[in-house]
Every structure is written in C-alpha cells, then in structure tokens.
Amino acid sequence: MTSTKQNRNAQNASNSNNVTQEYDAIIIGAGMAGMYQLYKLKKAGLSVRVFETGSGVGGTWYWNRYPGCKFDSESYSYGYSFSEELLDEWQWSEHFARQPETEKYLNFVADKFDLRKDMEFNNKIEDAKYDKESKRWNIETDQGIKASATFLITAVGPLSAHVMPSYKGMESFEGGSWHTARWPKEKVDFTGKRVAVIGTGATGVQVIQEMALMAEHLTVFQRNPNWCAPLNNDLITDEEQKEIRASYPEIFKKCNETNGCFIHSPDERSVFEVTPEERDELYEKLYADKGFGIWVASFFDTQMTEEANVSRTEFIAKKIRARVKDPKLAEKLIPKDHGFGTKRVPLETDYYEAYNRDNVLLVDIRETPIEEVLPKGIKTSDKEYDFDYIIYATGFDPVTGSLNRINITGKNDVKLKDKWADGPLTYLGIQSSGFPNLFTLVGPHNAATLCNIPRCIEQNVEWVTDAIEHMRSEGLSEIEPKLESENRWTQEVITMGEMSPFMKVNSWLSGVNSNVKDKQTRSFQVYVGGAPAYREHCEEEAASGYAGFELS
Ligand code: NA7
C-alpha cells in the first residue's frame, strides 16, 4: 500500500472514531493565499492543515476553467516572488497566461514545496466555532472531519462565492448549463452548438470572445455593457524570457510601489495640463500596449475625478465605434451610465470584433428582459431563443460572500455574518474583534482585493506569519483587535471609499451583486487607499508591538 493510501485510511479511521485532529493552525482554501500561508507556517515550525472544497490546488485557477480564462496581469508579475529557485525554474509562455498554464504552475509549486501532504481535499469547512475555554477554533467539514487549532486562517478568495440569477424555469432547461466558476473538467465540444452567455463582466467578456469562435451560434444576453480595452497578449520570446529572468527584483519592486501592484504606474501629468494631441498620444500608446496600462497608467487624475476622466472615456467610446461595424450595435456596447475605469476593466482580445460575426447576436435585456428559462432555451419579453447550452457569467457574492457561506462563530457566540450584516467591521482587513486568532487573508477592508492579487497575498501572509511568530515567542495565546482600532480602520476604509470613483457606480467593487439579497446597495468592502499605504499601516502596527490588538 502506498503511504498516501495508508494516510487516507488512517484518516478515515480517525473520522469514523469521531476523533478531533489537533493542529497549531487550520487554513481554509488551497488557492494562492492558502498555499503560501501553509508554506510559511510550516517553515515557522507549526503543525498545519489546509481544508479545500475542490479536489486540487489553485482556488480561482482551479474553479474557473471556462474557455478564454486568463490573467489580465502580466504573468511574470503575477507568480509568487518569495523563492528565487521557483522564479528560476518556472517559465511563463505568454505575457498573460491562460488558466491551464496557471493551474499547472500552482501544481508545480505544490509539488516543489511538498504542500499536498498537509492538505485535505474534497472537504468544505461548514462550521468554525471559537471555544473561549480552550482558546481554540473547532471546525467541521461536510465530510464529517473534525479538527481544532489555535489559529484559523481563511484563504477563501474575495470572488469565489459564485451566484446564479433566479430566472423562472432555470432548472427545467434540458441542455447543458452552468456558472463559469463551475465549468466542467471534461472538455465540452461546442462545434455545431447554439450557446447563450448571460453576463458581460470580465468573465463574460473572456468567454464570449472565445465562444464566438467555437459555437455555431452565440447569443449574448447583456444587461449593462462594460468598458473593455485590448489585452494585446503575445507569446514571450526567448529574448524577453532572458530579460524577465534578469529583472525579477525590479519587476516586483515596481509592482510594490504602485497602488494596485501592477507593473504600470500612472502618468504624473494632469490631463488638464496637456494639449488634446498629447492626450490622444498617451491614450493611443496605452491602448496599443499590453495589459492594464490604459486603466492605471493614464494621466493620474483620470482615475480621480469625473471631469478628468471625460477625454479618456470619449477616446474609448470612439475606439468601440470604430471596431463595431453596426453603429446601433456599437451604441449598445458603450456604457452610458459610468466613465471608463470606474468599474474593473475587462481586458479583451477581439471582443468587439466578435459582434461583427454572423454567428453572434447581442440581446439587450434592458430593452427586452429575460422572462423565463424554458426547457429548450430562453424567453425574453419579445421572443423565444433555443439553445444547447446556457452559460451564466453572472459573477460572485463579493468579498464577504465566501466568508458568509461558512458558519463562523466567535467567542461570544456571535456569528461573523451577523456582526457584518450592515457591512464588514475589521482591523486592517485581517481581523475582527470578538473573533480571536481568526485571520482573514485578502478579507474585506483589505487592500488585496483591488490588487494584482499575489503581490498583496504575499504581504498579507507574511504579516500574519510574523504576528503568529510574535505570539509564540512571547508565549501568548490570543490576539484580537481592540474595538477602537477596528472602528478607526473601518472609518478609514469608508473615508477613502467615499472619495473613490469605484463607489459611485454599482459593481462588485462597490459591494453590489443584484442576485444577492443583501448586496443590492453599495457598501464599503474594499480598502481603496492603495497597497503601499495599506502596507505602511500594517508595518506600523507590527513595529508598535501590535499595539492596536489585545494580546493575552
Ligand atoms: P461581474 O463583474 O460581477 O459581472 C457579472 C455580469 O453578470 C455583469 O455583466 C452583470 O450585469 C451580469 N448579471 C448578473 N446578474 C444578472 C442577471 N440576473 N441577468 C443578467 N445579467 C446579470 O463578474 P465577473 O465574473 O465577470 O467578474 C468578476 C471578477 O472576477 C472580475 O472582475 C475579475 O477580477 C475576476 P450588470 O452589470 O449587473 O447589469
């Protein structure tokens, strides 16, 4: 018998005996944050167990396997930076890697650092309760595994609780149908098929442009259009490969200096201090460049005020009009209710050109709403459409959603989702009072959500590891924020948010998803003050000996 099999048998035996497994730390989720947290805590000498719902590592890159799924951050700015050996050994093939390559990378990391042996797959933690007598977290999974630990660390991702719409008749549909975040592992052949995609956010855009090439006919059901810009992806040449390898330290340094940890930094000029020609020159350059530059490397004030953003928004509208042949259709694809960059910008490859194809139809469901899903397709207010597949690209219960789906109970029998019913209350987006020793990586009020995420994950994980090591070296058993720290940070998140263009429009960044009952109105879920400022707050806190926390 292999040792893995023996371990599993031993595990099953312990489950059936209802034995509680004991660890120093339990991590929920085996995505990028959970994997790095495991690596760091093991290195610090803790006993750790990761529980993961899926059957493999990767988190976002495990679940989102829809065609077209890929990075919008440059691959070499997205990978882990903590191991030089890893940086030397791994080679990205494209400037923006596709999901299969990223999943392979994360499996490579898991193997290289021998992470799998401390992970329990196919186990979803449903309950986590703090016991104030023993000062330990007790968890139970949907498979009946019980475990306890001093520290509970959530690494569940800010956009992982996927949501479906609630159209009448959805369950009656006789064809294939699923959410993009639950795409089947087996290859689906769309040749000769009629496909519907509902949703035109970053995910919808990626899947639509790919599906247009695969399906016999594609119908896109669009409620609100988004401002999209070209990804300009390419293979990485050998020459570029060498350059990337040689400049990793500078790449990561540059990322860490920018608000969103992307390699693009804003132009220091105000849009009002340049001529119209100079404006267009920069916009043209950024539109032709790779990645998020057009969003984050424009004149600094285009991301700050509506007035400063007007010329950029008009520039992008002009581009859409030039790319979509039918002028009426072009107008439907141009947002009229918000400026460019005030929602997360989907990056695309021939997205607008897809609508010039004979096999692609756009249905504006603000004009003709979906009334119901039928066994054979979709009925709008004016027509019935037949489909073989319906794909829901309808987004996620943002930020708090993935935490709210776990029944987390703190020291005074208060549930985290009840405490956060009117919006999250946290200190540094990493802890909440009443929930000692619970750390929320990339949690609400954290800068990590609005970030080239692995850069912020590494910061979060290292900060949490340092805090835990501090406690262990001082012989402490509990850490939780002081109420005044939590109030101060929550207020800081709100103050920054109130100034932000992201909070002036409905999107997951402003905490809205129309399919979620308690996410109909905007709420402050994300710290928008930028990663460098956030990092400074965290560093000051650690340097003060964690003065904003109760330690005992
Ligand atoms: P998003 O950005 O939340 O987009 C969801 C899309 O689905 C958006 O176009 C919605 O339209 C649409 N939607 C949602 N519910 C419905 C219903 N009921 N009917 C029709 N259309 C609907 O999610 P994504 O997955 O695209 O992106 C999430 C992030 O993941 C992305 O930013 C990346 O960072 C990774 P609406 O705009 O609400 O009218």
Side-chain angles (χ1 to χ4, degrees), residues 60-61 64 66 72 159-160 163-167 179-181 197-206 221-226 292 295 337-338 343-346 365-366 370 392-398 449 451 506-509 512-515:
T60 286
W61 302 107
N64 290 273
Y66 59 85
D72 282 342
L159 294 164
S160 59
V163 286
M164 295 285 271
S166 50
Y167 292 121
H179 191 282
T180 42
V197 173
I198 303 178
T200 51
T203 302
V205 166
Q206 286 189 335
F221 291 90
Q222 172 188 273
R223 191 162 59 186
N224 285 294
N226 270 294
F292 274 137
W295 188 19
D337 62 342
H338 67 283
K343 293 189 190 183
R344 196 280 204 197
V345 175
I365 58 172
R366 287 172 307 183
I370 294 177
Y392 295 95
T394 43
F396 302 88
D397 181 347
T449 303
C451 185
N506 289 352
S507 81
W508 65 260
L509 273 170
V512 176
N513 186 301
S514 65
N515 306 302

Side-chain angles (χ1 to χ4, degrees), residues 121-179:
F121 295 107
N122 303 307
N123 268 274
K124 182 179 179 183
I125 294 188
E126 294 195 317
D127 283 294
K129 191 170 189 319
Y130 190 69
D131 175 29
K132 59 182 174 197
E133 301 309 318
S134 63
K135 299 184 179 171
R136 289 176 74 79
W137 281 95
N138 296 310
I139 64 97
E140 184 160 0
T141 75
D142 59 349
Q143 301 301 309
I145 295 182
K146 290 184 180 157
S148 93
T150 308
F151 302 103
L152 178 66
I153 303 166
T154 62
V156 291
L159 294 164
S160 59
H162 68 289
V163 286
M164 295 285 271
S166 50
Y167 292 121
K168 187 177 148 206
M170 276 168 60
E171 59 307 323
S172 73
F173 182 62
E174 289 167 358
S177 162
W178 51 81
H179 191 282

Side-chain angles (χ1 to χ4, degrees), residues 135-362:
K135 299 184 179 171
R136 289 176 74 79
W137 281 95
N138 296 310
I139 64 97
E140 184 160 0
T141 75
D142 59 349
Q143 301 301 309
I145 295 182
K146 290 184 180 157
S148 93
T150 308
F151 302 103
L152 178 66
I153 303 166
T154 62
V156 291
L159 294 164
S160 59
H162 68 289
V163 286
M164 295 285 271
S166 50
Y167 292 121
K168 187 177 148 206
M170 276 168 60
E171 59 307 323
S172 73
F173 182 62
E174 289 167 358
S177 162
W178 51 81
H179 191 282
T180 42
R182 287 297 176 276
W183 199 271
K185 279 189 182 163
E186 312 72 51
K187 192 174 161 36
V188 185
D189 186 2
F190 292 98
T191 317
K193 304 294 184 198
R194 298 152 306 168
V195 179
V197 173
I198 303 178
T200 51
T203 302
V205 166
Q206 286 189 335
V207 81
I208 287 163
Q209 63 201 18
E210 206 82 5
M211 195 56 72
L213 309 177
M214 296 191 298
E216 181 178 294
H217 194 273
L218 168 66
T219 307
V220 176
F221 291 90
Q222 172 188 273
R223 191 162 59 186
N224 285 294
N226 270 294
W227 291 106
C228 312
L231 177 67
N232 296 316
N233 194 14
D234 219 337
L235 292 174
I236 299 177
T237 63
D238 291 346
E239 202 50 42
E240 286 169 331
Q241 206 69 258
K242 274 191 218 134
E243 241 173 75
I244 291 165
R245 283 254 157 88
S247 51
Y248 267 126
E250 291 87 70
I251 291 173
F252 294 127
K253 182 170 177 291
K254 185 157 190 213
C255 286
N256 285 337
E257 285 166 359
T258 67
N259 271 349
C261 292
F262 297 106
I263 58 174
H264 313 272
S265 36
D267 192 294
E268 285 172 6
R269 294 170 296 170
S270 159
V271 71
F272 299 116
E273 72 185 49
V274 296
T275 62
E277 292 73 29
E278 284 171 320
R279 264 187 222 163
D280 279 356
E281 194 185 334
L282 180 63
Y283 296 150
E284 286 288 0
K285 178 185 170 305
L286 295 174
Y287 200 77
D289 276 355
K290 296 181 169 46
F292 274 137
I294 187 71
W295 188 19
V296 297
S298 176
F299 303 103
F300 75 90
D301 44 359
T302 48
Q303 265 321 109
M304 292 171 79
T305 67
E306 264 175 60
E307 302 73 46
N309 197 20
V310 169
S311 61
R312 183 174 59 165
T313 300
E314 282 172 356
F315 172 88
I316 304 287
K318 216 161 69 186
K319 287 288 181 195
I320 299 172
R321 289 187 185 110
R323 289 174 62 183
V324 179
K325 284 187 190 148
D326 173 351
K328 276 199 191 137
L329 185 55
E331 290 315 309
K332 287 186 191 219
L333 290 162
I334 296 174
K336 304 291 191 303
D337 62 342
H338 67 283
F340 180 85
T342 58
K343 293 189 190 183
R344 196 280 204 197
V345 175
L347 294 184
E348 44 85 25
T349 307
D350 295 338
Y351 174 67
Y352 292 108
E353 286 72 13
Y355 294 99
N356 295 334
R357 297 171 61 96
D358 292 338
N359 69 329
V360 178
L361 173 73
L362 181 83

